[in-house]
Amino acid sequence: MTRQLHLLAFGNTRSAGPWRHPDIDNSTAGVRRGLISRAQAAEAGAFDAVFFADGLNFGPSATWPYKTPEDFEPLTTTAALSSVTERIGLVVTGSATLQQPYHLARQLLSLDHLSGGRAGWNLVTSFARAAADNFSAAGVVDHDERYAIAEEAIDVVKKLWDSWDDDTIIEDRVNGIFHDITKIHVPNHHGRYFDVTGPLGASRSAQGQPVIFQAGSSATGRAFAARHAEVIFTGQGNRERAQQFYRQIHDEAERLGRVAPLITPSLRFIVGSTEEEAHRNERTAYECFSPEYQAGWLLEVDVDVTGADLDGPVPDSAFPETTQTHQTALAGYRALAKEGNPTVREFLYRTVNGWGASVVGTPEHLADVIEDWFDGRAADGFVLQDSGLPGQFDDFVEQVVPLLRKRGLFRHEYTGRTLRDHLGLAAPVNRYRVSA
């Protein structure tokens, strides 16, 4: 089967800068309208999904003066968006280490049903101390143990999703029997980290199970993703590193006898009808950007440039030798600080898209970059983040997507109704039926 490019859009942004633009409505109602508008624009462009990142805290206190508060909880947000969209996938971030698997399984399956089979779970292992403090956790556990917890959590969640066979509901109105209870399975899980009896009180969804997204890029994270992920969200700063990561994941999956997951790096873009307009838009984004916010946010991943001269070089002392917080982030930010010897201000602007890639230019240039990464097996698609400036996302849908279609890379319209349909993924077989 011919490979098809996959496009997802960030539904939210972690940057505090765009709210400073005079044409942006920062009211709660304005944020709500913006969420709906983005989801509907992405659906009009036949995007695979809208992707919601999340952090289970308001961020380091150093960021508080510079950020807006409407960082809505993603499951609630996507449930609302499911009623104003019909086809586009809805991917939400949920912590396998801080949130209970029964709640996650139930909430995600509910979203899957409410949306008609369009839900995805971006499984994360929470690393922020401030997040742990909100969940009665005694600090953040070490990096590799977080993945051990996640191994058990995803097992529990999938057992719960498989609680019912596809033909459990019989609706025998004459005898008053709704379920064939021989086809309801009780996980009765008792493990090192979780004790969950089950079952869930909901049938399997139109796509079998929500799609599993994962963002591990460390050695442990890659191994976890190769075992469990169906789509990998990653940050890769350039094409060469992205190609190396792509090969590593495919090699890991092949060793496990799995079909390799789709790989969709983040890509921040600024588009203009001419190069001059694109760079003018970038200057506007740079003027709205808040270096103080970015410096405060990086504290969460143990990178500390607070107090440094914004127009001086990035100090080596900003980066610890090792971390148990987020190993991939530390390596990615260290690399960003070395490329071209940026000032602290320039380095902080680069981190608006984490340690991922960025592109500025005309629609043709953006299409060239996307095609080059796709054809070069650096990506199967992208999770797109615009600058947050008014009109930028709409411009991508209206100007870049038609070029990708003309080149035969991207669909003209949806051919299915579920997120699995869009991504070309098969529905998982119920584990209890297989064992039987």
Side-chain angles (χ1 to χ4, degrees):
M1 187 172 69
T2 304
R3 284 174 76 221
Q4 180 183 65
L5 179 71
H6 297 285
L7 295 178
L8 299 87
F10 270 108
N12 50 8
T13 174
R14 298 201 68 147
S15 170
W19 69 263
R20 301 170 67 188
H21 192 280
D23 293 338
I24 289 182
D25 181 354
N26 295 304
S27 68
T28 301
V31 172
R32 176 181 176 274
R33 285 193 294 271
L35 288 166
I36 293 172
S37 174
R38 173 176 289 258
Q40 291 179 335
E43 185 169 66
F47 276 45
D48 294 80
V50 182
F51 182 101
F52 283 85
D54 194 33
L56 296 172
N57 64 95
F58 190 50
S61 58
T63 66
W64 294 358
Y66 314 106
K67 67 184 295 186
T68 55
E70 268 68 35
D71 185 17
F72 296 135
E73 190 280 316
L75 276 155
T76 313
T77 302
T78 48
L81 292 176
S82 73
S83 68
V84 294
T85 56
E86 294 182 357
R87 296 289 189 93
I88 193 162
L90 302 163
V91 181
V92 298
T93 296
S95 172
T97 53
L98 292 180
Q99 295 170 276
Q100 288 295 314
Y102 185 88
H103 276 314
L104 282 169
R106 187 183 185 207
Q107 290 168 324
L108 287 158
L109 187 56
S110 295
L111 175 63
D112 215 15
H113 277 296
L114 290 170
S115 64
R118 295 187 280 139
W121 175 25
N122 177 41
L123 185 160
V124 299
T125 59
S126 297
F127 60 84
R129 296 181 187 90
D133 291 344
N134 288 332
F135 288 83
S136 304
V140 178
V141 298
D142 288 348
H143 178 273
D144 287 359
E145 187 177 1
R146 293 203 300 272
Y147 278 101
I149 296 170
E151 285 279 358
E152 187 173 337
I154 193 172
D155 182 46
V156 175
V157 167
K158 286 185 170 183
K159 284 177 180 176
L160 289 164
W161 283 343
D162 281 346
S163 296
W164 294 30
D165 286 346
D166 292 334
D167 55 352
T168 299
I169 297 174
I170 56 176
E171 282 190 80
D172 183 345
R173 295 173 188 258
V174 173
N175 294 304
I177 304 296
F178 199 87
H179 303 129
D180 178 350
I181 63 170
T182 66
K183 296 179 179 180
I184 296 178
H185 308 284
V186 180
N188 201 25
H189 176 94
H190 301 287
R192 179 180 176 188
Y193 301 103
F194 303 107
D195 291 289
V196 181
T197 301
L200 286 183
S203 58
R204 281 165 65 88
S205 82
Q207 62 173 350
Q209 292 180 1
V211 177
I212 301 294
F213 286 67
Q214 213 274 323
S217 295
S218 66
T220 305
R222 285 198 310 271
F224 182 91
R227 279 193 299 278
H228 299 294
E230 297 173 284
V231 185
I232 294 179
F233 166 60
T234 180
Q236 302 295 334
N238 60 53
R239 182 178 181 271
E240 290 70 30
R241 286 205 293 271
Q243 286 176 316
Q244 181 183 20
F245 179 79
Y246 194 100
R247 287 193 298 270
Q248 288 171 332
I249 291 294
H250 276 249
D251 289 345
E252 294 254 16
E254 184 177 352
R255 279 196 293 272
L256 294 167
R258 283 193 78 211
V259 175
L262 298 170
I263 299 174
T264 56
S266 62
L267 180 66
R268 183 175 185 263
F269 70 87
I270 295 178
V271 64
S273 57
T274 64
E275 288 290 340
E276 181 183 1
E277 181 182 317
H279 289 287
R280 188 165 62 246
N281 290 337
E282 184 180 32
R283 285 194 298 273
T284 301
Y286 190 75
E287 290 164 2
C288 290
F289 142 79
S290 171
E292 296 84 1
Y293 168 81
Q294 287 300 123
W297 184 78
L298 288 178
L299 291 172
E300 204 162 66
V301 291
D302 296 337
V303 176
D304 187 357
V305 293
T306 56
D309 178 5
L310 288 174
D311 297 309
V314 180
D316 290 337
S317 60
F319 305 95
E321 287 299 317
T322 60
T323 181
Q324 286 295 327
T325 300
H326 200 307
Q327 296 174 5
T328 307
L330 179 62
Y333 289 129
R334 185 182 278 119
L336 282 180
K338 292 184 180 299
E339 292 177 2
N341 298 314
T343 65
V344 171
R345 190 188 307 272
E346 290 166 341
F347 163 70
L348 290 170
Y349 182 67
R350 292 179 181 181
T351 69
V352 168
N353 186 37
W355 55 97
S358 296
V359 59
V360 179
T362 62
E364 291 78 10
H365 178 60
L366 268 64
D368 288 343
V369 171
I370 290 170
E371 182 175 17
D372 183 48
W373 279 53
F374 180 73
D375 286 347
R377 301 281 174 164
D380 295 307
F382 296 92
V383 182
L384 296 166
Q385 177 179 344
D386 64 87
S387 63
L389 299 179
Q392 279 285 291
F393 184 72
D394 290 336
D395 286 347
F396 185 97
V397 173
E398 294 167 7
Q399 298 177 33
V400 182
V401 168
L403 294 176
L404 297 173
R405 288 171 173 162
K406 187 175 181 180
R407 300 179 189 194
L409 297 173
F410 191 63
R411 67 172 71 89
H412 286 262
E413 59 187 15
Y414 293 113
T415 57
R417 302 203 68 88
T418 70
L419 179 54
R420 289 184 180 278
D421 290 337
H422 307 337
L423 296 169
L425 299 173
V429 178
N430 188 307
R431 69 173 63 198
Y432 299 107
R433 185 174 289 276
V434 170
S435 63

